[in-house]
PDB file of all heavy atoms in Angstrom:
ATOM      1  N   VAL A 287      14.511 -16.621  10.554  1.00 96.00           N
ATOM      2  CA  VAL A 287      15.747 -15.953  10.142  1.00 96.00           C
ATOM      3  C   VAL A 287      16.960 -16.818  10.481  1.00 96.00           C
ATOM      4  O   VAL A 287      17.049 -17.375  11.567  1.00 96.00           O
ATOM      5  CB  VAL A 287      15.847 -14.526  10.732  1.00 96.00           C
ATOM      6  CG1 VAL A 287      15.822 -14.527  12.240  1.00 96.00           C
ATOM      7  CG2 VAL A 287      17.087 -13.792  10.228  1.00 96.00           C
ATOM      8  N   THR A 288      17.845 -16.948   9.509  1.00 95.00           N
ATOM      9  CA  THR A 288      19.100 -17.688   9.693  1.00 95.00           C
ATOM     10  C   THR A 288      20.242 -16.670   9.659  1.00 95.00           C
ATOM     11  O   THR A 288      20.407 -15.972   8.664  1.00 95.00           O
ATOM     12  CB  THR A 288      19.321 -18.676   8.523  1.00 95.00           C
ATOM     13  OG1 THR A 288      18.195 -19.547   8.442  1.00 95.00           O
ATOM     14  CG2 THR A 288      20.589 -19.490   8.723  1.00 95.00           C
ATOM     15  N   PRO A 289      21.015 -16.569  10.740  1.00 96.00           N
ATOM     16  CA  PRO A 289      22.145 -15.638  10.692  1.00 96.00           C
ATOM     17  C   PRO A 289      23.224 -16.153   9.731  1.00 96.00           C
ATOM     18  O   PRO A 289      23.479 -17.357   9.680  1.00 96.00           O
ATOM     19  CB  PRO A 289      22.682 -15.622  12.134  1.00 96.00           C
ATOM     20  CG  PRO A 289      21.794 -16.498  12.941  1.00 96.00           C
ATOM     21  CD  PRO A 289      20.907 -17.273  12.029  1.00 96.00           C
ATOM     22  N   VAL A 290      23.822 -15.253   8.970  1.00 97.00           N
ATOM     23  CA  VAL A 290      24.892 -15.614   8.030  1.00 97.00           C
ATOM     24  C   VAL A 290      26.179 -14.960   8.527  1.00 97.00           C
ATOM     25  O   VAL A 290      26.236 -13.738   8.694  1.00 97.00           O
ATOM     26  CB  VAL A 290      24.540 -15.137   6.600  1.00 97.00           C
ATOM     27  CG1 VAL A 290      25.686 -15.384   5.632  1.00 97.00           C
ATOM     28  CG2 VAL A 290      23.262 -15.826   6.110  1.00 97.00           C
ATOM     29  N   CYS A 291      27.197 -15.768   8.810  1.00 97.00           N
ATOM     30  CA  CYS A 291      28.424 -15.227   9.416  1.00 97.00           C
ATOM     31  C   CYS A 291      29.570 -15.109   8.429  1.00 97.00           C
ATOM     32  O   CYS A 291      30.629 -14.568   8.744  1.00 97.00           O
ATOM     33  CB  CYS A 291      28.843 -16.074  10.611  1.00 97.00           C
ATOM     34  SG  CYS A 291      29.195 -17.787  10.174  1.00 97.00           S
ATOM     35  N   GLU A 292      29.383 -15.640   7.220  1.00 97.00           N
ATOM     36  CA  GLU A 292      30.467 -15.574   6.237  1.00 97.00           C
ATOM     37  C   GLU A 292      29.870 -15.672   4.835  1.00 97.00           C
ATOM     38  O   GLU A 292      28.945 -16.442   4.604  1.00 97.00           O
ATOM     39  CB  GLU A 292      31.421 -16.752   6.473  1.00 97.00           C
ATOM     40  CG  GLU A 292      32.650 -16.736   5.590  1.00 97.00           C
ATOM     41  CD  GLU A 292      33.588 -17.909   5.902  1.00 97.00           C
ATOM     42  OE1 GLU A 292      33.964 -18.086   7.072  1.00 97.00           O
ATOM     43  OE2 GLU A 292      33.907 -18.649   4.959  1.00 97.00           O
ATOM     44  N   ILE A 293      30.391 -14.851   3.913  1.00 98.00           N
ATOM     45  CA  ILE A 293      29.953 -14.935   2.511  1.00 98.00           C
ATOM     46  C   ILE A 293      31.200 -15.067   1.654  1.00 98.00           C
ATOM     47  O   ILE A 293      32.120 -14.240   1.742  1.00 98.00           O
ATOM     48  CB  ILE A 293      29.122 -13.701   2.098  1.00 98.00           C
ATOM     49  CG1 ILE A 293      27.848 -13.602   2.972  1.00 98.00           C
ATOM     50  CG2 ILE A 293      28.739 -13.778   0.615  1.00 98.00           C
ATOM     51  CD1 ILE A 293      27.074 -12.308   2.814  1.00 98.00           C
ATOM     52  N   VAL A 294      31.249 -16.141   0.858  1.00 98.00           N
ATOM     53  CA  VAL A 294      32.423 -16.428   0.038  1.00 98.00           C
ATOM     54  C   VAL A 294      32.069 -16.240  -1.434  1.00 98.00           C
ATOM     55  O   VAL A 294      31.030 -16.713  -1.901  1.00 98.00           O
ATOM     56  CB  VAL A 294      32.905 -17.875   0.299  1.00 98.00           C
ATOM     57  CG1 VAL A 294      34.047 -18.243  -0.633  1.00 98.00           C
ATOM     58  CG2 VAL A 294      33.327 -18.044   1.756  1.00 98.00           C
ATOM     59  N   ARG A 295      32.932 -15.505  -2.154  1.00 98.00           N
ATOM     60  CA  ARG A 295      32.774 -15.340  -3.606  1.00 98.00           C
ATOM     61  C   ARG A 295      34.151 -15.529  -4.218  1.00 98.00           C
ATOM     62  O   ARG A 295      35.012 -14.651  -4.091  1.00 98.00           O
ATOM     63  CB  ARG A 295      32.230 -13.951  -3.929  1.00 98.00           C
ATOM     64  CG  ARG A 295      31.983 -13.738  -5.415  1.00 98.00           C
ATOM     65  CD  ARG A 295      31.587 -12.303  -5.695  1.00 98.00           C
ATOM     66  NE  ARG A 295      31.088 -12.138  -7.052  1.00 98.00           N
ATOM     67  CZ  ARG A 295      30.792 -10.971  -7.601  1.00 98.00           C
ATOM     68  NH1 ARG A 295      30.922  -9.848  -6.872  1.00 98.00           N
ATOM     69  NH2 ARG A 295      30.359 -10.888  -8.846  1.00 98.00           N
ATOM     70  N   GLY A 296      34.399 -16.663  -4.859  1.00 97.00           N
ATOM     71  CA  GLY A 296      35.733 -16.956  -5.403  1.00 97.00           C
ATOM     72  C   GLY A 296      36.750 -16.930  -4.283  1.00 97.00           C
ATOM     73  O   GLY A 296      36.601 -17.640  -3.274  1.00 97.00           O
ATOM     74  N   ASP A 297      37.764 -16.064  -4.403  1.00 97.00           N
ATOM     75  CA  ASP A 297      38.810 -15.970  -3.382  1.00 97.00           C
ATOM     76  C   ASP A 297      38.478 -14.983  -2.274  1.00 97.00           C
ATOM     77  O   ASP A 297      39.221 -14.830  -1.320  1.00 97.00           O
ATOM     78  CB  ASP A 297      40.137 -15.531  -4.024  1.00 97.00           C
ATOM     79  CG  ASP A 297      40.646 -16.568  -5.017  1.00 97.00           C
ATOM     80  OD1 ASP A 297      40.303 -17.758  -4.833  1.00 97.00           O
ATOM     81  OD2 ASP A 297      41.350 -16.188  -5.971  1.00 97.00           O
ATOM     82  N   THR A 298      37.355 -14.280  -2.444  1.00 98.00           N
ATOM     83  CA  THR A 298      36.977 -13.273  -1.439  1.00 98.00           C
ATOM     84  C   THR A 298      36.168 -13.915  -0.322  1.00 98.00           C
ATOM     85  O   THR A 298      35.181 -14.610  -0.580  1.00 98.00           O
ATOM     86  CB  THR A 298      36.121 -12.164  -2.106  1.00 98.00           C
ATOM     87  OG1 THR A 298      36.840 -11.696  -3.251  1.00 98.00           O
ATOM     88  CG2 THR A 298      35.844 -11.016  -1.160  1.00 98.00           C
ATOM     89  N   VAL A 299      36.621 -13.704   0.908  1.00 98.00           N
ATOM     90  CA  VAL A 299      35.908 -14.230   2.071  1.00 98.00           C
ATOM     91  C   VAL A 299      35.508 -13.053   2.951  1.00 98.00           C
ATOM     92  O   VAL A 299      36.356 -12.298   3.414  1.00 98.00           O
ATOM     93  CB  VAL A 299      36.792 -15.211   2.882  1.00 98.00           C
ATOM     94  CG1 VAL A 299      36.047 -15.702   4.125  1.00 98.00           C
ATOM     95  CG2 VAL A 299      37.222 -16.388   2.019  1.00 98.00           C
ATOM     96  N   ILE A 300      34.196 -12.879   3.134  1.00 98.00           N
ATOM     97  CA  ILE A 300      33.703 -11.762   3.948  1.00 98.00           C
ATOM     98  C   ILE A 300      33.164 -12.325   5.259  1.00 98.00           C
ATOM     99  O   ILE A 300      32.222 -13.129   5.254  1.00 98.00           O
ATOM    100  CB  ILE A 300      32.574 -11.008   3.198  1.00 98.00           C
ATOM    101  CG1 ILE A 300      33.091 -10.524   1.829  1.00 98.00           C
ATOM    102  CG2 ILE A 300      32.060  -9.836   4.021  1.00 98.00           C
ATOM    103  CD1 ILE A 300      31.970 -10.121   0.882  1.00 98.00           C
ATOM    104  N   LYS A 301      33.775 -11.925   6.360  1.00 97.00           N
ATOM    105  CA  LYS A 301      33.287 -12.373   7.673  1.00 97.00           C
ATOM    106  C   LYS A 301      32.312 -11.330   8.199  1.00 97.00           C
ATOM    107  O   LYS A 301      32.573 -10.126   8.098  1.00 97.00           O
ATOM    108  CB  LYS A 301      34.455 -12.500   8.654  1.00 97.00           C
ATOM    109  CG  LYS A 301      35.507 -13.512   8.240  1.00 97.00           C
ATOM    110  CD  LYS A 301      35.236 -14.852   8.890  1.00 97.00           C
ATOM    111  CE  LYS A 301      36.390 -15.816   8.571  1.00 97.00           C
ATOM    112  NZ  LYS A 301      35.976 -17.209   8.789  1.00 97.00           N
TER     113      LYS A 301
END
Side-chain angles (χ1 to χ4, degrees):
V287 60
T288 303
V290 175
C291 61
E292 185 178 307
I293 299 170
V294 175
R295 182 186 192 187
D297 296 333
T298 308
V299 178
I300 303 164
K301 299 265 186 199

